[in-house]
Amino acid sequence: MKKIIILLTLIYAVTAASAQNSLNIGKLFGDKYRQNENTTETIISGDALKGTGLDFYRSLVINGSPELADEISATVVKDGNDAVSREVKYIDGKIYYARFMLKPERKSNRYILFLNTHLKGGNRIMLLYMTGKADLEEIKKLINKQ
């Protein structure tokens, strides 16, 4: 029984990851920036997300590379064009923060969040992709905790 549960969890994680790959941001994860020593990519699924309302979490954090912000934000905006909910904040005509709730897929809510702290004197670009039952308010609470 335990092996079946593990197998089902792996299948679900692969399905969630492939859903993200159908988006424009899918090309930003993986090999694209992995060679950049200032990049951290995190993937979390399964029991590690218990209690969050999420079943899949993927993040890309790039430190010290402000020149990448325009390409990443443009890619995020392409996916955000079809969002059912959005919040975008600009500084000097560039996207500082974007939060998009995409159309649910397989009864799972999907979220993209982007932050370019370079525009406020910081040193980081962050891109998050999350799926799960969590609603928008729960996502906001999770993000504000961090």
Side-chain angles (χ1 to χ4, degrees):
M1 182 68 168
K2 187 175 181 180
K3 288 181 181 181
I4 292 173
I5 292 172
I6 291 171
L7 180 62
L8 290 174
T9 301
L10 288 172
I11 290 170
Y12 186 79
V14 169
T15 303
S18 66
Q20 164 251 297
N21 286 334
S22 68
L23 297 170
N24 291 297
I25 62 165
K27 67 183 179 186
L28 299 175
F29 292 106
D31 292 337
K32 176 123 178 131
Y33 296 111
R34 194 171 281 153
Q35 305 307 318
N36 182 333
E37 64 184 21
N38 298 321
T39 299
T40 302
E41 186 172 351
T42 304
I43 301 171
I44 305 172
S45 62
D47 287 342
L49 291 170
K50 192 172 185 170
T52 64
L54 297 175
D55 47 45
F56 184 78
Y57 170 95
R58 190 165 195 176
S59 70
L60 182 68
V61 178
I62 304 171
N63 292 307
S65 298
E67 70 280 0
L68 300 176
D70 289 341
E71 176 188 4
I72 295 170
S73 66
T75 304
V76 167
V77 167
K78 285 180 188 175
D79 289 326
N81 285 335
D82 294 328
V84 295
S85 172
R86 66 180 47 90
E87 179 181 352
V88 181
K89 294 182 182 178
Y90 295 87
I91 294 177
D92 296 329
K94 295 184 181 243
I95 296 177
Y96 167 68
Y97 169 82
R99 188 249 329 127
F100 298 110
M101 179 179 181
L102 306 176
K103 295 174 188 170
E105 193 169 88
R106 293 184 199 101
K107 297 183 181 181
S108 188
N109 294 324
R110 303 180 303 149
Y111 301 93
I112 297 173
L113 288 91
F114 169 80
L115 178 66
N116 178 6
T117 67
H118 294 283
L119 296 175
K120 281 195 172 183
N123 192 32
R124 179 177 291 168
I125 299 166
M126 294 175 54
L127 173 62
L128 308 177
Y129 174 75
M130 300 173 282
T131 66
K133 300 288 182 196
D135 64 22
L136 187 54
E137 291 306 312
E138 291 170 307
I139 293 297
K140 287 179 181 179
K141 286 178 187 174
L142 284 172
I143 298 303
N144 288 332
K145 280 184 183 179
Q146 301 175 7

